[in-house]
């Protein structure tokens, strides 16, 4: 479903500008500034529509979490006669049901008490029933059913159609002509047809359907699936029979009828062709509207390329006009109040995301709406003439401005909360946008394919989607889904950058702080930095995962600017450039190179990006025999510490450890020294935050000391003489000191060159 967008008027533009205005936030403990009044205008159409409905009581089970289902509905055979003049319905639904339990004695059916129920049959015989609530009855089975037993349950009903929700059953007019239509989402199907009681928070049981609608013969009937027949009946009536052959969740079953103008089209796809069925009001049958609807053909091409084949190729896709100020993705037949390309793209994309793969429960509605909303932006990227700029513009237009609640809905009892524009639609779309940038295009679309393959024809949760992503990227993704789906908010970044020059090398030191309100998480996100020097622009990705971090980036020329997330891949509530604050010391250079091997090391130098307070007590030097004595000098001007061993370092591995008791001479913050952090926040390591020792190893080796006695002398030459000649294949051949494949005079020369 997609809510109506308000028309763009000068007044609304002014509100948007206010909402986007910079809000400085300096004290994280202070109350948050109030969200600007009217920032939630985009949801107004739906909220007003919802408020129009009479306040039907919520059923006792509503939102309480689905009880473990004991039945699987295989098929709904719904036959209903609609009297538009009276606003009433008379009909019956015969459900084909398979028991999932032994000793099943009762079946719950949702049907409003606005209807009389003249007949309830189990396998064709009258069955007793009791009403549990205004929405729900319990039918007693004449004989208990066991696992796998299949039986039929018929509930006949008659009475006035009284709408709930967003207009679950409405009788209205367009240009003075009667129209009726349905929109059951979320749990309001009970206001117009009897169906399995699924606890109101479980969308996973899907069934095929035959839908027979009898209405005045001048009406054309829109519904799910494939049109089977239109049969004239006595009294100026006509029965229209649609058959939905793909399993469908309850809230997607629909019907609408009026004096539609029908026009068709054929979509040719890789595997053949599929009919398109468009039903619009005669007064709206204009070339402009027809052309707008025919844009669905390239949309089918684009979404099939991105998501895989259209899910209901054996049926159809269609759009019918109805009076709802927005759209509703009824399976194979979307209702739309208008024909703009974003609305059409949204409802079409729902056929994959919402209809074929359905949110398992309303807590996870973003899996429907976030996907459909992101599809609007993907259409702008991949449509004929589309562009990445179009993608980013579309996402900017879909930026949420309210962040108080999470996208995941812990207690989904209020449809206005479930369909909140900011949390469900916009942030839901941004979650996908950010995931795409975090894992890359290939992994993102592979993840969508894995998710679809695992849950097509059923329902899914956020954890199911996360598992699909993890199956593609091969690493845990809970950090991403936890902070973005299950927590409120979006980051408030503060950032600054300065240039440093150390030993002739230029660096940008970038400070990123998260100044979000305390109710928000500290976000872990890869962030693009657009680094511009005299040599040009480059993009550096840093992994920001703390409240305050400093990153050190080597430069190829004088620094001009550093832009945080220049393409706006990260959803932020606030980004503020602030004054640079000195961070922790970072190591920019070490000699000799860490990990290197040398016959002798006279001293080790360590250079910092900024002045530090350091002493010999901060340093240890250990080798094969344990700690070794050394002398220590710190050169303030060069920001370099020099460690000189007291004696000759013996062969083996040596380790220089710099404790994080080294602190910045300016900020007093402790060394950011981790040498195993990935990715490093500086050229020699670090994780961006103060704290963490630096550990460097070197190897002293004298290959000519063949017997390892610490001296190169005649004993080593005797090793060469005893191995004289070509090296054995395969080796080893340690006496071949110059690596030419033979032990010979050249190796004796090598020994003599390292004598002593
Ligand atoms: Zn939608």
């Amino acid at each position: 479903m997609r809510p109506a967008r308000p028309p763009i008027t000068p007044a609304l533009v002014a509100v948007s500008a206010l909402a986007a205005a910079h809000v400085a936030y300096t004290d994280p403990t202070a109350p948050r500034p109030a969200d600007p009044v009217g920032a939630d205008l985009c949801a107004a159409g739906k909220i007003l529509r919802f408020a129009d409905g009479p306040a039907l009581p919520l059923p006792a089970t509503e939102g309480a979490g689905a009880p473990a289902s004991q039945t699987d509905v295989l098929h709904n055979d719904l036959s209903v006669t609609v009297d538009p003049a009276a606003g009433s319905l008379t009909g019956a639904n015969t459900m084909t049901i398979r028991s999932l339990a032994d000793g099943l004695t009762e079946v719950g059916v949702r049907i409003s008490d606005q209807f009389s129920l003249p007949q309830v049959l189990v396998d064709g015989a009258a069955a007793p029933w009791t009403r549990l609530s205004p929405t729900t009855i319990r039918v007693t089975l004449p004989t208990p059913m066991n696992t796998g037993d299949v039986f039929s349950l018929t509930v006949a009903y008659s009475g006035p159609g009284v709408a709930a929700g967003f207009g679950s059953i409405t009788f209205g007019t367009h240009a003075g002509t009667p129209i009726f239509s349905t929109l059951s989402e979320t749990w309001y199907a009970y206001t117009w047809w009897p169906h399995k009681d699924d606890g109101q928070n479980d969308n996973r049981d899907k069934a095929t359907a035959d839908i027979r609608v009898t209405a005045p013969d001048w009406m054309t009937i829109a519904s799910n699936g494939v049109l089977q027949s239109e049969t004239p009946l006595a009294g100026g009536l006509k029965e229209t029979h649609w058959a939905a052959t793909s399993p469908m969740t309850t809230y997607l079953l629909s019907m609408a009828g009026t004096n539609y103008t029908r026009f068709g089209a054929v979509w040719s796809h890789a595997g053949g062709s599929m009919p398109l069925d468009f039903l619009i009001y005669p007064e709206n049958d204009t070339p402009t509207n027809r052309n707008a609807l025919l844009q669905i053909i390239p949309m089918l091409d684009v979404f099939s390329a991105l998501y895989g084949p259209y899910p209901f190729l054996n049926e159809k896709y269609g759009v019918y006009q109805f009076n709802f100020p927005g759209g509703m993705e009824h399976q194979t037949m979307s209702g739309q109040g208008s024909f703009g390309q974003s609305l059409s793209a949204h409802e079409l994309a729902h056929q994959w995301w919402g209809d074929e793969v359905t949110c398992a429960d309303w807590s996870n509605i973003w899996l429907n709406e976030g996907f459909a909303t992101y599809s609007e932006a993907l259409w702008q990227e991949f449509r004929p003439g589309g562009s990445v700029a179009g993608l980013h513009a579309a996402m900017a237009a879909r930026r949420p401005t309210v962040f108080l609640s999470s996208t995941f809905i812990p207690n989904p009892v209020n449809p206005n909360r479930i369909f909140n524009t900011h949390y469900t639609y916009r942030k839901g779309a941004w979650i996908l946008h950010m995931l795409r940038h975090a894992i890359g295009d290939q992994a993102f679309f592979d993840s969508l394919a894995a998710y679809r393959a695992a849950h097509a024809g059923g329902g899914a949760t956020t954890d199911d989607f996360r598992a699909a992503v993890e199956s593609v990227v091969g690493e845990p993704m809970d950090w991403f889904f936890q902070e973005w789906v299950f927590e409120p908010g979006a980051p408030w970044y503060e950032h600054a950058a300065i240039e440093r020059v150390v030993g002739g090398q230029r660096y940008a030191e970038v400070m990123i702080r998260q100044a979000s309100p305390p109710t928000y998480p500290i976000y872990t996100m890869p962030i693009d930095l657009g680094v511009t020097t005299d040599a040009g622009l480059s993009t550096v990705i840093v992994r920001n995962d703390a409240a305050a971090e400093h990153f050190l980036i080597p430069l190829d020329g004088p620094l001009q600017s550093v832009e945080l997330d220049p393409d706006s891949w990260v959803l932020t509530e606030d980004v503020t450039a602030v004054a640079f604050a000195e961070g922790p010391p970072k190591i920019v250079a070490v000699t000799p190179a860490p990990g290197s091997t040398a016959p002798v090391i006279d001293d080790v130098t360590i250079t910092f990006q900024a002045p530090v307070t350091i002493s010999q007590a901060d340093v240890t030097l250990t080798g094969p025999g344990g700690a070794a004595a050394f002398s220590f000098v710190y050169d303030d001007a060069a920001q370099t510490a020099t460690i000189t061993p007291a004696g000759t370092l013996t062969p083996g591995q040596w380790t220089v450890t710099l404790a994080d008791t080294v602190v910045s001479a300016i900020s007093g913050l402790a060394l950011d020294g981790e040498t195993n952090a990935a990715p490093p926040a500086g050229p020699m390591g670090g994780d961006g935050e103060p704290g963490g020792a630096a550990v460097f190893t070197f190897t002293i080796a004298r290959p000519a000391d063949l017997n390892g006695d610490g001296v190169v002398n005649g004993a080593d030459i005797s090793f060469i003489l005893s191995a004289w000649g070509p090296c054995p294949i395969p080796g080893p051949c340690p006496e071949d000191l110059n690596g030419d494949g033979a032990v010979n005079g050249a190796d004796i020369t090598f020994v003599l060159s390292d004598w002593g």
Side-chain angles (χ1 to χ4, degrees):
M1 181 160 55
R2 213 196 75 170
R5 297 191 186 286
I8 300 299
T9 67
L12 291 179
V13 170
V15 168
S16 297
L18 179 62
H22 169 72
V23 180
Y25 189 86
T26 51
D27 177 5
T29 63
R32 295 183 62 242
D35 289 298
V37 175
D40 203 6
L41 282 174
C42 286
K46 181 170 289 180
I47 289 171
L48 290 173
R49 186 61 183 243
F50 179 65
D52 282 343
L56 287 183
L58 290 174
T61 53
E62 217 149 69
S69 180
Q70 297 189 314
T71 58
D72 176 13
V73 177
L74 305 175
H75 188 73
N76 286 296
D77 193 336
L78 173 64
S79 181
V80 58
T81 297
V82 182
D83 183 340
S88 65
L89 308 168
T90 300
N93 181 29
T94 296
M95 292 165 259
T96 305
I97 301 175
R98 180 166 54 205
S99 176
L100 299 178
D102 290 335
L104 182 72
T105 57
E106 288 189 327
V107 175
V109 174
R110 298 254 289 164
I111 183 67
S112 171
D113 66 359
Q114 73 209 31
F115 298 109
S116 63
L117 306 183
Q119 215 173 32
V120 175
L121 310 174
V122 172
D123 285 335
W129 59 274
T130 56
R131 180 160 287 282
L132 295 186
S133 76
T135 66
T136 307
I137 65 170
R138 281 285 181 272
V139 179
T140 300
L141 303 177
T143 57
M145 298 291 168
N146 291 322
T147 303
D149 289 349
V150 174
F151 58 98
S152 74
L153 170 58
T154 300
V155 176
Y157 65 113
S158 181
V162 180
F166 302 114
S168 55
I169 171 74
T170 63
F171 297 91
T173 61
H174 64 90
T177 302
I179 176 175
F180 68 89
S181 65
T182 65
L183 195 171
S184 297
E185 197 180 22
T186 43
W187 44 67
Y188 298 105
Y190 69 87
T191 63
W192 70 274
W193 67 285
H195 59 88
K196 170 185 169 177
D197 176 15
D198 48 17
Q200 300 336 295
N201 196 25
D202 188 340
N203 299 319
R204 291 171 296 182
D205 190 358
K206 298 185 176 184
T208 55
D210 281 282
I211 303 157
R212 294 178 176 83
V213 180
T214 297
D217 58 7
W218 56 267
M219 284 187 159
T220 297
I221 305 300
S223 189
N224 315 92
V226 176
L227 181 62
Q228 305 294 304
S229 60
E230 293 180 286
T231 307
L233 301 176
L237 299 177
K238 178 178 69 178
E239 183 192 76
T240 304
H241 176 196
W242 290 88
T245 55
S246 299
M248 176 167 59
T249 196
T250 303
Y251 71 82
L252 293 173
L253 192 147
S254 69
M255 63 176 184
T258 188
N259 63 333
Y260 285 120
T261 295
R262 164 174 269 148
F263 73 97
V266 173
W267 173 51
S268 297
H269 55 83
S273 64
M274 184 185 79
L276 303 177
D277 189 17
F278 299 116
L279 301 178
I280 63 178
Y281 299 158
E283 65 272 22
N284 295 126
D285 182 16
T286 63
T288 298
N289 283 339
R290 286 197 178 211
N291 286 335
L293 283 167
L294 289 171
Q295 284 297 300
I296 286 170
I297 291 174
M299 288 176 190
L300 280 160
D301 291 334
V302 165
F303 291 147
S304 296
L306 294 176
Y307 303 148
Y310 173 75
F312 311 111
L313 282 173
N314 295 331
E315 299 182 49
K316 71 168 189 304
Y317 186 65
V319 172
Y320 66 95
Q321 189 172 4
F322 68 163
N323 284 348
F324 181 67
M328 179 64 212
E329 65 276 17
H330 294 129
Q331 189 160 305
T332 73
M333 193 61 164
S334 293
Q336 293 185 198
S338 56
F339 310 117
Q341 60 178 323
S342 286
L343 181 62
S344 292
H346 181 108
E347 306 308 337
L348 175 62
H350 266 314
Q351 302 298 314
W352 285 261
W353 315 120
D355 293 4
E356 190 191 37
V357 181
T358 306
C359 59
D361 52 49
W362 301 111
S363 294
N364 291 286
I365 181 64
W366 81 275
L367 295 173
N368 291 15
E369 301 302 348
F371 279 58
T373 304
Y374 193 49
S375 297
E376 299 172 36
L378 290 175
W379 166 246
Q380 293 304 329
E381 180 178 3
F382 293 104
R383 68 179 170 82
S387 65
V388 172
L391 166 76
H392 287 298
M395 291 311 294
R398 286 157 182 77
R399 179 176 283 273
T401 56
V402 181
F403 296 91
L404 294 172
S405 295
S406 62
T407 291
F408 180 85
I409 304 165
N411 187 27
V413 296
N414 180 348
N416 289 338
R417 170 68 180 89
I418 292 169
F419 294 100
N420 182 285
T421 296
H422 297 281
Y423 309 141
T424 296
Y425 290 75
R426 293 173 172 234
K427 190 174 178 185
W430 271 89
I431 288 167
L432 294 174
H433 189 57
M434 291 189 286
L435 177 66
R436 176 183 174 186
H437 193 56
I439 67 177
D441 278 13
Q442 184 73 46
F444 175 73
F445 288 106
D446 285 352
S447 294
L448 296 188
Y451 171 62
R452 183 185 180 195
H455 302 288
T461 63
T462 301
D463 284 347
D464 291 330
F465 180 50
R466 175 180 53 77
V469 176
E470 290 174 342
S471 75
V472 170
V473 301
E475 59 185 61
M477 291 297 294
D478 51 335
W479 60 271
F480 178 89
F481 287 94
Q482 179 61 37
E483 67 191 15
W484 288 111
V485 180
F486 294 98
E487 305 270 2
W492 295 32
Y493 289 125
E494 295 178 343
H495 65 99
I498 60 169
E499 183 187 71
R500 297 189 188 274
V501 183
V502 184
Q505 170 66 47
R506 296 175 187 275
Y507 301 89
E509 183 161 347
V510 180
M511 179 188 80
I512 300 175
R513 293 196 298 229
Q514 295 188 31
S516 316
T519 52
Y520 292 6
I522 295 294
Y523 288 86
T524 295
M525 278 301 283
I527 299 177
D528 290 2
L529 299 178
V531 180
T532 303
T533 67
D534 289 356
L537 170 68
S538 59
T539 299
V540 176
I541 301 173
V542 297
R543 185 180 176 89
N544 174 239
D545 61 2
E549 289 189 297
H550 285 71
F551 301 92
L552 201 61
I553 301 163
L555 300 177
D556 55 4
L559 180 66
Q560 293 182 4
S561 65
V562 176
E563 193 177 356
L564 185 89
D565 192 22
D567 294 323
S568 293
W569 279 102
V570 181
L571 176 63
T572 56
E573 189 171 352
D574 189 72
V575 177
T576 307
V578 296
F580 183 85
E582 193 74 14
K586 291 171 177 289
I587 297 167
V588 295
V590 176
T591 63
S596 63
T597 297
V600 62
I601 293 176
D602 294 326
D603 51 35
V604 175
T605 69
I606 298 175
T607 303
F608 301 90
Q609 101 281 27
V612 296
T613 302
I614 186 172
S615 73
Q616 185 153 3
D618 299 317
V619 183
T620 57
L621 172 66
T622 56
F630 60 92
S631 61
F632 174 88
V633 174
Y634 177 65
D635 179 340
D636 269 313
Q639 298 161 194
T640 298
T642 301
I643 295 141
T644 305
T648 302
L649 298 184
T650 55
Q653 181 167 293
W654 287 82
T655 301
V656 174
T657 301
L658 213 58
D660 59 11
T661 47
V662 176
V663 299
S664 165
I666 302 168
S667 69
L669 293 171
L671 174 71
D672 175 20
E674 293 92 339
T675 33
N676 55 357
M684 302 303 294
D687 64 358
E689 294 179 85
V695 180
F696 302 107
T697 61
F698 312 92
T699 302
I700 300 291
R702 298 182 71 185
D705 180 17
L706 285 165
N707 66 352
D709 64 356
V711 184
V712 175
N713 54 21
D716 300 306
I717 290 190
S718 66
F719 271 70
I720 288 177
L721 296 176
S722 65
W724 199 265
C727 283
I729 297 174
C733 191
E735 299 83 2
D736 177 19
L737 293 167
N738 69 346
D740 65 357
V743 181
N744 52 29
D747 301 306
I748 291 180
T749 304
F750 191 100
V751 170
L752 296 176
S753 71
D754 193 25
W755 197 264

